[in-house]
Amino acid sequence: METFLVGVQEEHKVVETAYEGLIQSIRVSMDEKDRKNIREAYEIALKAHANQRRKSGDPYILHPIAVARICAEEIGLGPTGIICALLHDVVEDTEITLSEIENKFGVRVAKIVDGLTKLDAAYNAESHQAENFKKVLSTLIDDVRVVLIKMADRLHNMRTLGFMERHKQLKIAAETSYIYAPLAHRLGLYNFKTEFLDLCMKITDSEVYQNIAKKLNETKKDRENYVNKFIAPLKEKLNELGFAYRIFGRPKSIYSIWNKIRTKKVEFEEVYDLFAVRIIIDVPAEKERISCWQAYSVVTDVHTPIADRLKDWITTPKSNGYESLHTTVIGPGGRFVEVQIRTERMDEISEKGYAAHWKYKGISSQPDVYERWLDSVRETIENPSANAIEFLVDFRANSLFKEEVYIYTPKGDVQLLPAGSTALDFAFHIHTDIGYHCTSIRVNNKLVPFGKVLKNGDQIQVHTAKNQKPSEDWLKMTTTGKAQAKIRSAMKEERKRKGEIGKEYLERKLKNLKVEFEESLELILKVFDYKSSVDLYFDIATETRDIQDIFKRFHVDAGKLKEISAPFVFPELDKQAADKKTPVKPSEKPKLLVNGESAEQYEYSLANCCNPLPGDDIFAFLTHNVGLKIHRSSCPNAAHLMVNYGYRILSASWQQSNAEVNFIAEIKIIGVDSGPGVIEQLSHQISSQLGLNIRSMAIEGDEGYFECRLKIIIKNTDQLHMVIKSLQALDNISSVVRLD
Ligand code: MN
């Protein structure tokens, strides 16, 4: 009893200290009332969560305190945001109601907490994550603070993810890299994005992560010495310029180093720019530009710049508002060093993005990039025709990752389109009707194909005709969500028209069976997994689905259609699976654990997209028709699957005894083409030297170099690494990598 009391008191102390830490981290000025309100919010949350604990065993209240602290410290939110962060899980998990919050803190706080609660509710339900994300964005245009607090919430959950079960970790990491990291990027929350990606990598590729972290740590001293040597002569000259500044070396994130290793196909030791040097200048607004260029000229006086490596994001900021001068110079010992030059204001915006942007509104001469972006988000959300998954895909493509191009109308008006937009996108951008009836397009007075990608400054003229209408292949000639949504909805109309006959057919059949139409239709849609009746009618009309086959699955019982419960494989889906020819049937089934138990009880197979091997991190995905598919955690499809079908993810791992099983690995070899001997050399090495079987080999050559894709039969990742090493050692081979 006594020890328990001591425990409670100690815990109390920990919580109180955390709260004080939060108060100290608040950067904005507050009056008495703000302080009182924050304290009150804290006490409400403390009481409400009194009996709850985190997975780690910590008192639950530490989570909202930590989230509020991230909001204060790393985003710079004021009292309202902090109060909302403290209360963000209260309505969801406890007895406190929204109206109590409104009475205490006013309507604004209640609204934000409500937004956060709705988001959480959506997450807990087993609905599609895409649907949830749509909600995230709808609240974003309402009050951006909802999303900023949600980001802080996600960041704290990611930081403490170690206590979760593996499959939940994977799912949350996938969602984070798929949605939250790009959104953080778009909102200019650079530090969030970097930390998100690092934390995701720590989960999906933990070995590589630890490895790089270790190497970074080992080389830390060297790096610091080098940075000092690089900076010293710069300081002398910068001091002469007469303004305040800070200069320091900044390590790059583990994720970005890994990215370099992967994309440039180099070893850690070959990645030179493990850090960047940053110069941050403190000058009044009117001196920003000139001071940055002065600093630039100091840098390039002292260290030789590399031609073409100057990036001027001060004159034209990035579309997420990022402003900075970047250059790469040759430092001591001939090493390339990236130098970033910016002002305190630019630095704050570059790290806190949208959150800092309000503070400096009107200071920068640049157009308001966030306002413009939010307008486009608004437009995407208000577009009703896209379903949630299409919406998410469009949104990622068009709103999160794209820059913009300036296009001129024949009258000389400027229109802003996402980079990568085509001539046909432009037609839809101007007006839906112009898009629908577009017959030909001229760019800079020349006729162009509809799919022509537009460049900055292009001038466009669209011609239309009344009887023209969109067709399926227009989807391929457009890239913007707007145009594609319009084309899809036109196609849907068309499908509907064509499906009329299928509908009649089905109606007649159900009438003959003397069952009620609506109810039976709903059951058929459910059993055959149709999203809408239009698709079913269309498939019946076009005989894609045989109506006789449909009714093989049902019988009539007491005037109602009933599903026959025997297991059933969709014939056409089965055919689809067979068409995607599996290159080799593994000699014996690999032995796996799914959710910690033997996988024998399931139907399962390895995914062809990423060909997992024993030694790879894996997970299982429950498919509609072919049981479990086993993917690598790093599979390029994994993020998409986890985000949209997170509830179908199961954790999986290899069992020890897979020595008798054959697996497939695909590798890419790039080398210098030394004549017809290349293929023999490679196949000799693999078959004779290593004693392995080649499944398939595709080789392509161009101007003295070749690229070879090779599928080999293999036992595990260790053996694969050995193969890669041994091929790398051959003459004329420049890189050997496993394909994702
Ligand atoms: Mn939370």
Side-chain angles (χ1 to χ4, degrees):
M1 189 69 202
E2 209 154 286
T3 46
F4 177 66
L5 271 178
V6 170
V8 167
Q9 271 168 7
E10 259 169 21
E11 227 167 64
H12 212 80
K13 228 169 153 184
V14 170
V15 170
E16 211 33 57
T17 313
Y19 176 72
E20 269 154 30
L22 159 67
I23 298 301
Q24 245 121 63
S25 72
I26 300 173
R27 301 270 172 273
V28 297
S29 63
M30 294 191 296
D31 56 24
E32 243 349 274
K33 197 163 168 260
D34 292 332
R35 282 171 205 286
K36 209 183 116 251
N37 279 338
I38 291 174
R39 179 83 208 176
E40 204 165 341
Y42 162 63
E43 269 158 18
I44 290 174
L46 185 63
K47 218 166 122 197
H49 295 300
N51 296 320
Q52 291 175 311
R53 285 189 182 271
R54 296 274 287 171
K55 271 256 154 50
S56 60
D58 282 342
Y60 195 89
I61 184 71
L62 290 176
H63 166 64
I65 294 177
V67 173
R69 184 160 176 170
I70 294 171
C71 288
E73 208 163 32
E74 296 174 49
I75 309 181
L77 289 188
T80 307
I82 290 162
I83 290 167
C84 296
L86 283 169
L87 297 173
H88 83 268
D89 279 334
V90 153
V91 175
E92 165 80 8
D93 298 343
T94 74
E95 311 268 85
I96 311 282
T97 65
L98 212 52
S99 58
E100 287 171 63
I101 291 176
E102 188 176 331
N103 287 338
K104 279 228 160 64
F105 303 102
V107 68
R108 192 71 260 170
V109 169
K111 264 211 148 139
I112 295 175
V113 173
D114 188 33
L116 288 161
T117 309
K118 288 211 179 97
L119 284 181
D120 270 349
Y123 271 96
N124 292 340
E126 288 213 335
S127 61
H128 286 297
Q129 271 78 357
E131 197 61 66
N132 303 332
F133 186 58
K134 208 168 168 179
K135 289 201 183 86
V136 175
L137 288 168
S138 313
T139 55
L140 178 134
I141 54 174
D142 233 26
D143 190 325
V144 181
R145 277 175 293 189
V146 176
V147 169
L148 295 177
I149 296 168
K150 190 73 210 164
M151 292 272 185
D153 184 28
R154 173 56 58 125
L155 186 60
H156 184 246
N157 285 334
M158 286 292 292
R159 283 176 183 169
T160 51
L161 206 54
F163 298 98
M164 288 281 195
E165 292 107 321
R166 176 79 184 151
H167 72 283
K168 281 194 185 149
Q169 290 182 351
L170 284 173
K171 186 190 149 199
I172 293 174
E175 215 174 70
T176 303
S177 66
Y178 195 77
I179 293 169
Y180 285 91
L183 188 57
H185 174 78
R186 205 57 185 77
L187 289 170
L189 296 163
Y190 179 80
N191 288 342
F192 274 65
K193 173 193 152 193
T194 310
E195 195 174 342
F196 277 148
L197 292 176
D198 265 11
L199 289 169
C200 288
M201 182 188 163
K202 204 171 163 182
I203 286 162
T204 53
D205 296 86
S206 61
E207 210 177 302
V208 190
Y209 179 91
Q210 304 298 356
N211 208 351
I212 296 178
K214 197 173 129 232
K215 285 182 174 165
L216 269 180
N217 208 19
E218 284 165 2
T219 52
K220 198 171 167 209
K221 265 253 110 51
D222 279 352
R223 218 166 33 245
E224 279 168 3
N225 290 338
Y226 187 85
V227 168
N228 288 336
K229 220 156 65 181
F230 181 88
I231 284 178
L234 287 177
K235 276 186 170 168
E236 266 173 47
K237 289 216 168 185
L238 286 169
N239 289 341
E240 289 168 17
L241 293 176
F243 47 65
Y245 69 92
R246 299 185 279 145
I247 181 168
F248 52 91
R250 202 170 183 283
K252 297 217 164 153
S253 74
I254 293 180
Y255 177 82
S256 70
I257 292 169
W258 182 46
N259 224 357
K260 207 149 257 174
I261 292 174
R262 280 191 305 178
T263 53
K264 300 240 162 96
K265 316 258 183 258
V266 293
E267 299 282 325
F268 175 86
E269 287 70 22
E270 296 170 62
V271 180
Y272 271 104
D273 42 353
L274 293 171
F275 62 91
V277 166
R278 192 175 287 175
I279 302 172
I280 301 173
I281 299 167
D282 193 5
V283 288
E286 65 277 9
K287 292 223 169 114
E288 287 196 324
R289 204 169 280 245
I290 177 85
S291 309
C292 286
W293 285 108
Q294 280 175 324
Y296 172 79
S297 100
V298 164
V299 171
T300 51
D301 271 354
V302 174
H303 301 293
T304 312
I306 298 171
D308 299 334
R309 292 290 281 273
L310 169 66
K311 284 176 197 144
D312 172 12
W313 283 306
I314 291 182
T315 311
T316 34
K318 289 192 190 178
S319 46
N320 66 2
Y322 184 85
E323 294 171 75
S324 197
L325 280 181
H326 288 196
T327 183
T328 302
V329 298
I330 303 173
R335 283 173 66 174
F336 290 4
V337 177
E338 185 181 278
V339 183
Q340 305 168 348
I341 303 165
R342 54 176 81 152
T343 63
E344 291 286 354
R345 176 191 65 83
M346 296 171 190
D347 190 56
E348 194 172 347
I349 289 187
S350 78
E351 305 223 311
K352 292 186 183 152
Y354 189 80
H357 138 274
W358 289 106
K359 189 167 150 191
Y360 296 108
K361 228 176 166 188
I363 289 182
S364 169
S365 55
Q366 300 303 330
D368 196 326
V369 287
Y370 290 108
E371 286 307 312
R372 220 167 53 199
W373 182 69
L374 283 173
D375 279 345
S376 80
V377 172
R378 228 164 260 140
E379 199 177 296
T380 320
I381 287 172
E382 279 156 10
N383 187 347
S385 67
N387 76 37
I389 291 183
E390 279 169 12
F391 165 82
L392 181 57
V393 170
D394 286 348
F395 181 80
R396 269 170 53 86
N398 296 311
S399 299
L400 288 181
F401 290 113
K402 285 264 171 81
E403 311 271 307
E404 288 158 327
V405 285
Y406 295 84
I407 305 298
Y408 292 92
T409 67
K411 283 184 193 155
D413 293 335
V414 178
Q415 300 283 332
L416 220 47
L417 272 86
S421 293
T422 65
L424 189 56
D425 280 315
F426 178 82
F428 277 95
H429 174 80
I430 295 301
H431 196 277
T432 307
D433 270 343
I434 294 181
Y436 275 158
H437 302 300
C438 170
T439 50
S440 67
I441 305 176
R442 284 171 183 274
V443 170
N444 305 327
N445 268 326
K446 278 198 200 104
L447 271 177
V448 297
F450 281 6
K452 159 108 181 147
V453 174
L454 301 176
K455 292 195 306 289
N456 257 332
D458 278 347
Q459 190 184 48
I460 306 206
Q461 216 174 347
V462 180
H463 302 271
T464 57
K466 250 204 190 108
N467 52 4
Q468 171 77 315
K469 60 182 179 185
S471 64
E472 191 89 37
D473 51 346
W474 281 23
L475 284 172
K476 294 192 200 111
M477 301 172 190
T478 49
T479 62
T480 59
K482 184 175 177 181
Q484 295 194 333
K486 297 290 180 199
I487 296 166
R488 274 196 207 106
S489 88
M491 298 321 320
K492 215 177 250 171
E493 282 305 308
E494 187 71 10
R495 274 172 88 83
K496 211 169 172 178
R497 205 181 51 74
K498 284 195 181 145
E500 281 303 319
I501 198 160
K503 185 180 179 187
E504 273 169 37
Y505 203 8
L506 187 68
E507 270 174 342
R508 217 171 322 137
K509 180 86 193 177
L510 291 171
K511 207 167 165 190
N512 286 340
L513 291 171
K514 298 195 169 53
V515 291
E516 209 254 326
F517 180 76
E518 286 298 331
E519 198 184 336
S520 310
L521 174 64
E522 223 165 90
L523 181 65
I524 295 171
L525 293 178
K526 199 181 128 219
V527 167
F528 289 93
D529 201 29
Y530 277 98
K531 295 225 163 51
S532 81
S533 52
V534 174
D535 294 337
L536 174 67
Y537 299 152
F538 182 80
D539 281 358
I540 294 173
T542 53
E543 292 177 11
T544 314
R545 186 174 286 286
D546 185 55
I547 196 155
Q548 308 302 341
D549 280 347
I550 294 181
F551 285 94
K552 279 181 195 155
R553 285 211 61 182
F554 302 97
H555 61 112
V556 179
D557 182 16
K560 278 188 179 186
L561 210 57
K562 290 268 163 66
E563 189 186 355
I564 301 168
S565 52
F568 179 84
V569 183
F570 304 152
E572 56 163 17
L573 287 174
D574 208 26
K575 194 170 136 271
Q576 252 179 31
D579 282 347
K580 272 194 212 144
K581 51 170 183 192
T582 335
V584 76
K585 282 268 171 272
S587 53
E588 195 182 301
K589 243 185 161 176
K591 295 205 172 49
L592 298 172
L593 294 175
V594 169
N595 273 358
E597 287 169 32
S598 164
E600 295 307 314
Q601 53 183 313
Y602 303 101
E603 192 188 325
Y604 64 93
S605 55
L606 304 181
N608 291 331
C609 51
C610 57
N611 293 317
L613 293 178
D616 284 327
D617 267 350
I618 49 172
F619 68 93
F621 178 73
L622 181 63
T623 65
H624 266 306
N625 51 319
V626 289
L628 296 174
K629 275 275 176 207
I630 310 299
H631 293 263
R632 273 149 72 181
S633 300
S634 59
C635 171
N637 295 324
H640 171 76
L641 293 176
M642 292 191 200
V643 169
N644 293 309
Y645 309 101
Y647 55 94
R648 296 208 212 142
I649 302 290
L650 304 167
S651 66
S653 55
W654 302 101
Q655 293 215 54
Q656 289 302 331
S657 51
N658 278 312
E660 296 308 309
V661 189
N662 288 328
F663 296 89
I664 294 168
E666 195 172 4
I667 52 183
K668 187 169 87 177
I669 303 161
I670 294 175
V672 183
D673 194 352
S674 51
V678 176
I679 298 177
E680 276 106 278
Q681 189 197 9
L682 284 173
S683 57
H684 174 78
Q685 183 69 15
I686 294 163
S687 319
S688 311
Q689 294 299 115
L690 298 164
L692 295 170
N693 279 316
I694 296 176
R695 201 53 226 170
S696 72
M697 190 171 195
I699 199 156
E700 255 175 71
D702 190 23
E703 296 187 2
Y705 108 114
F706 73 91
E707 201 180 299
C708 171
R709 280 164 182 262
L710 196 63
K711 281 188 181 163
I712 47 175
I713 295 184
I714 207 147
K715 296 292 180 201
N716 52 44
T717 49
D718 287 344
Q719 196 180 26
L720 179 65
H721 291 147
M722 193 186 79
V723 172
I724 290 178
K725 274 239 144 63
S726 112
L727 293 177
Q728 264 165 348
L730 295 179
D731 282 347
N732 301 323
I733 301 295
S734 45
S735 90
V736 183
V737 286
R738 180 180 181 190
L739 288 176
D740 282 328

